[in-house]
Amino acid sequence: QVQLVDAGGGLVRSGASLRLSCAASGRTFGTYFMAWFRQAPGKEREFVAAIRLSGGGPYLADSVKGRFSISRDKANRAVYLHMDNLKPEDTAVYYCAAGSPIMSTIATEKDYDYWGQGTQVTVSS
């Protein structure tokens, strides 16, 4: 089992920056990707970014390219989502995820086995 605890959300103004963190514990062996998804009110959960724990990536959704980045610590026990130039449409609950998708499914929610509890990001205009 892998436990994920995500944190770092908050209320910010448009144009601000935030860094979300995701701490992983438990048996991470066999987990090849960690990712961030988000879910805005009334919308389905969507892929934001992923990183391969062996050193590939990052992989970013088109909507956040140039503004967001994802990184990991060397021990693969933490993953970070760096968000710059935040916009009101970035408002959502952000979830950390871990799993072993293949490359063609890294943006597919169901291919991730473990999830954090979510952290709220609210961007005011």
Side-chain angles (χ1 to χ4, degrees):
Q1 288 280 6
V2 177
Q3 293 80 42
L4 302 175
V5 178
D6 37 36
L11 170 62
V12 297
R13 289 185 177 271
S14 182
S17 298
L18 275 177
R19 188 184 79 157
L20 306 183
S21 64
C22 175
S25 61
R27 300 182 65 181
T28 58
F29 179 78
T31 296
Y32 300 119
F33 282 90
M34 291 188 73
W36 289 93
F37 287 75
R38 67 185 181 185
Q39 188 167 21
K43 295 187 177 181
E44 295 186 351
R45 194 176 298 186
E46 65 174 1
F47 171 77
V48 176
I51 191 165
R52 188 194 296 265
L53 297 184
S54 63
Y59 309 97
L60 298 167
D62 289 342
S63 59
V64 304
K65 283 181 181 176
R67 301 187 299 121
F68 291 14
S69 63
I70 185 171
S71 62
R72 60 181 174 85
D73 71 349
K74 291 182 178 180
N76 287 335
R77 288 292 180 174
V79 172
Y80 306 96
L81 184 67
H82 308 264
M83 306 184 292
D84 294 324
N85 191 21
L86 282 160
K87 303 176 181 181
E89 51 263 42
D90 296 317
T91 294
V93 178
Y94 284 70
Y95 297 91
C96 176
S100 302
I102 58 176
M103 274 306 302
S104 62
T105 66
I106 60 170
T108 303
E109 182 181 347
K110 68 178 179 63
D111 282 5
Y112 289 85
D113 301 309
Y114 305 103
W115 292 83
Q117 80 283 5
T119 184
Q120 176 72 48
V121 173
T122 304
V123 185
S124 64
S125 58

